[in-house]
Amino acid sequence: MTISMTSSHKTKMLKTKTLWLAPLSAAMLMLAGCNNSSTPADSAAADTATDAPTSIKIATESSYKPFSYTDADGKLIGYEIELVDALCAQMQAECEVISQDWDGLIPGLNAQKFDAIIAGMSITPERKEVVEFTDPYFHTGIILIGKKGDDISVGDLEGQPVASQRSTVASQYLQDEHANADIKLYDTQDNAYLDLKSGRVRAMMSDKVTGIDWLKTEAGKDYEVKGQEISTDEDAMGIAFRKGDPLVAKFNKALAELKDNGTYDQITGSYFGTSSTAAAQKAVATTDLKEVMVVEDDAVIATEAATN
């Protein structure tokens, strides 16, 4: 099902009436246009046309809570949805966000089915070969999740059934660093969680933010992070476009403006608070602490080591 969203500040388009001129008048106007240079008013009108609002179709994957997911009514909500709304409002652009399967995001973009992707997509060298990314809008690491009381660890995955979502940084890390594990790949995070709960896999390698969000749910109450967060060189998320698309520069400009005016911090803080990697590292950098406890709803969700 296609779910759409438009920016909160649409620019109203004015309908112009077509004037039918008599042949003689039309000829005179054409002659005048040939003999006179454009006026400042003409230039201003041209500039306005160039900056006119753009209609942009953006794809996401709607099972990646809290970045992008659907509510009980089937409406797309989440951090990335609010961020896109703010970006499009800043650009005065009309945007539509649609839900797509993860595996079809980049092929669909390059097939021109939509104009951009925002789906917790990490900026990796492999992806940069086929798409172009904006500046990062979020940084995160990856974690191993297992059942409370189970002594499984990142260093002890050989032969163990471990779940991860297909074509993610987490799954790539498993394949590169723990190829001797029994790796099970899934089309969505939700399906991986289901097999973790059912016992078909012993652990799950996940994006940190989505994993911690699941641990706070009723389904994840008997599970925990095993060991420390794993940091990679590919933990920055960006909005993807077709190569050479001028929209990249427009989105970068809007993102910088949202960071300058405080809107970005407001949106990010409302979802992640100190649970985001950036916020935890900022807290460490301004104190003498050796580690930061991430506390939400009076429960310790994770402990992050200092990374000064």
Side-chain angles (χ1 to χ4, degrees), residues 131-237:
V131 297
E132 186 171 348
F133 285 96
T134 61
D135 296 333
Y137 62 85
F138 199 84
H139 290 77
T140 186
I142 54 179
I143 55 174
L144 183 71
I145 297 174
K147 196 161 188 175
K148 291 178 179 178
D150 188 348
D151 61 357
I152 192 168
S153 68
V154 175
D156 187 30
L157 297 180
E158 183 175 357
Q160 298 299 322
V162 184
S164 191
Q165 184 177 7
R166 184 187 302 117
S167 301
T168 62
V169 170
S171 67
Q172 191 62 52
Y173 171 82
L174 275 176
Q175 292 168 322
D176 291 344
E177 303 296 331
H178 300 280
N180 55 7
D182 182 12
I183 302 171
K184 310 289 188 183
L185 301 181
Y186 298 81
D187 56 345
T188 67
Q189 291 274 114
D190 289 343
N191 286 335
Y193 292 139
L194 287 174
D195 269 13
L196 180 63
K197 284 280 293 180
S198 70
R200 283 189 283 270
V201 295
R202 187 175 174 187
M204 176 177 174
M205 191 68 73
S206 169
D207 170 89
K208 172 191 166 184
V209 173
T210 57
I212 288 178
D213 190 82
W214 181 76
L215 290 175
K216 294 184 293 182
T217 67
E218 180 66 21
K221 67 179 183 179
D222 295 327
Y223 295 81
E224 64 184 358
V225 177
K226 300 296 184 179
Q228 297 292 327
E229 172 189 349
I230 302 162
S231 181
T232 72
D233 294 331
E234 300 172 350
D235 60 2
M237 299 177 183

Side-chain angles (χ1 to χ4, degrees), residues 24 28-29 99 105 142 158 224 244:
L24 180 60
M28 292 175 65
L29 288 173
S99 178
L105 286 172
I142 54 179
E158 183 175 357
E224 64 184 358

Side-chain angles (χ1 to χ4, degrees), residues 86-88 90-91 249-259:
L87 287 168
C88 292
Q90 187 68 24
M91 295 184 294
K250 291 184 178 181
F251 271 76
N252 277 339
K253 181 174 181 290
L255 181 60
E257 290 168 348
L258 292 186
K259 289 181 177 181

Side-chain angles (χ1 to χ4, degrees), residues 274-275 292-302:
T274 56
S275 68
V292 172
M293 282 189 178
V294 179
V295 181
E296 297 191 24
D297 299 329
D298 297 325
V300 176
I301 303 300

Side-chain angles (χ1 to χ4, degrees), residues 73-90:
D73 297 323
K75 179 183 178 183
L76 273 173
I77 58 174
Y79 169 67
E80 290 174 329
I81 306 304
E82 287 198 31
L83 182 60
V84 161
D85 192 37
L87 287 168
C88 292
Q90 187 68 24

